[in-house]
Amino acid sequence: MKNVLMLKSSILGGYSSSSALMEKLEHGYKQQGATITSRDLAAEPLPVLTGDIALALRGSDDMSELQKQAVALSDRLIEELKAADVLVMAAPM
């Protein structure tokens, strides 16, 4: 069984051609028994990389709560990417 990571980035939501295409691809992968992880980067944007977050990503023993959350999110995203057999990215043009 394949693990598929799908990344959407259109701000147009249901009016987006790239999102409609992603839905068709997702349906096809599901019919093949694939496990789908989907991230809508417009609906749930990633935090802006700041100096504080960059320092936390390099490793630190004394981190603020915001830094800890950023590192946890980074770790989760890296694991999703590592687990993916297929990466599908939809970017509006």
Side-chain angles (χ1 to χ4, degrees):
M1 184 181 320
K2 289 186 179 181
N3 291 314
V4 180
L5 175 57
M6 303 186 88
L7 303 176
K8 302 176 190 179
S9 61
S10 177
I11 60 172
L12 298 179
Y15 298 104
S16 165
S17 296
S18 61
S19 292
L21 179 58
M22 289 286 277
E23 287 178 19
K24 288 181 182 181
L25 285 170
E26 184 174 350
H27 179 73
Y29 279 120
K30 283 182 178 178
Q31 285 184 325
Q32 295 174 20
T35 300
I36 307 292
T37 301
S38 183
R39 288 213 168 259
D40 186 336
L41 301 174
E44 295 180 44
L46 297 177
V48 174
L49 183 63
T50 64
D52 286 342
I53 292 174
L55 288 173
L57 293 173
R58 296 182 79 182
S60 175
D61 292 331
D62 184 31
M63 289 191 280
S64 70
E65 190 58 37
L66 180 65
Q67 288 173 314
K68 290 177 187 176
Q69 290 172 1
V71 169
L73 175 60
S74 176
D75 290 346
R76 188 167 53 250
L77 295 173
I78 290 168
E79 287 306 313
E80 286 178 3
L81 187 56
K82 284 181 176 180
D85 299 307
V86 176
L87 174 61
V88 181
M89 296 170 36
M93 296 292 167

